[in-house]
Each structure stands twice: as structure tokens, then as C-alpha cells.
Amino acid sequence: MNREPIYTALFEKVASLPGIVTSSRRLKHWNDVSPADQPALFQAQAGENAMVKTGFPTKWNLDVELYLYCHAGNDSDATPATDLNNLLDAIEEALKPDHSGYQNLGGLVFDCRIDGKVETDEGTLGPQSVAIIPIRITVVNEE
């Protein structure tokens, strides 16, 4: 398995979505991203798990977290979650499976999908909204 092209392919797929102002594979805290630089998306590698079964190829699960930040600016009537929800929908659409039922990132992996609880703070007490989106990439090594 060659990891870097996989992580790069995922990043290119989600970082190029319309509306994203700032994107990086180096995570920043939302307090370190100015409102003018949001919506912002950051990708962080969150771990890997190998499943080995004698006589079968190794199956890898690569876990990634996407951090999405949206700021409503100085408009006290704006709903911070609106931009966040629209971008969550766009990320879900970008990772939608193809006709085979899987998202293979251009043939690099077996599957890539949102998998697990999406943590959100909709900005109830202020103009900042945040989502952490868990992504699971499955790779089967052809040994």
C-alpha cells in the first residue's frame, strides 16, 4: 500500500468543493483561522488498523478526520450552521459511492466513506460552527 497518494486523493476531492476558502492537511484550531479565511477544511490522519488473516490479503482501515469550520461573521441574525450544513452535504455528495456501491478514490482504494458520528457545534452561542467528520478508507493489499 502506498499511503500518500490515498490521503492526497481524499484531500483533493474534498478541499476543492465550492465554498471552501482555506484548506490544509495541517490541522489548525478554529481560533487560529480568521473569519475571512472560513469556511475552512482540514484533514487529519487519525490512525490505521491492519486486519490480517492467514491466506488472505491484508485489509487496512485508514481513519481520517475532516475538520470543517464556518463563521457567520458579524451578522448577529445569521445562522452559523447554514454554511456548515451546506458543506456537510457537499462532502457527503463528493464521497458518494459510484455505480459499484463504493467510492474508490480513482481506483486507489476499495472504499472511502463517512463512517461514524459526525460531531457538530452549530454555533448556538456565537458565530463559529464546527464539524468533525470521520472518514474510513478501506484498502486491501494485493499480496
Side-chain angles (χ1 to χ4, degrees):
M1 171 175 55
N2 193 349
R3 289 167 175 77
E4 187 57 24
I6 294 168
Y7 291 118
T8 299
L10 172 61
F11 183 72
E12 288 175 353
K13 184 170 273 299
V14 295
S16 63
L17 292 172
I20 300 292
V21 175
T22 302
S23 60
S24 177
R25 287 181 57 193
R26 285 192 68 149
L27 180 61
K28 288 186 177 182
H29 191 275
W30 57 84
N31 288 333
D32 296 326
V33 182
S34 74
D37 291 330
Q38 297 184 42
L41 182 129
F42 299 92
Q43 178 178 306
Q45 293 174 215
E48 300 181 1
N49 184 37
M51 291 170 278
V52 180
K53 195 172 187 180
T54 303
F56 293 93
T58 301
K59 178 180 169 185
W60 285 90
N61 284 322
L62 311 178
D63 293 321
V64 174
E65 291 177 334
L66 300 178
Y67 290 75
L68 182 60
Y69 307 151
C70 295
H71 198 283
N74 295 324
D75 183 353
S76 61
D77 292 329
T79 304
T82 299
D83 287 339
L84 187 77
N85 290 332
N86 290 333
L87 286 168
L88 283 168
D89 291 344
I91 290 169
E92 182 182 5
E93 181 66 23
L95 296 178
K96 186 169 80 173
D98 65 15
H99 65 281
S100 71
Y102 300 98
Q103 168 54 256
N104 65 18
L105 297 177
L108 292 174
V109 302
F110 177 73
D111 194 24
C112 176
R113 66 180 64 220
I114 297 172
D115 187 343
K117 182 177 181 180
V118 176
E119 299 283 343
T120 61
D121 180 338
E122 66 182 64
T124 304
L125 299 176
Q128 183 70 60
S129 60
V130 177
I132 303 170
I133 306 136
I135 305 294
R136 167 74 46 100
I137 302 170
T138 303
V139 181
V140 179
N141 279 354
E142 298 299 328
E143 297 171 346

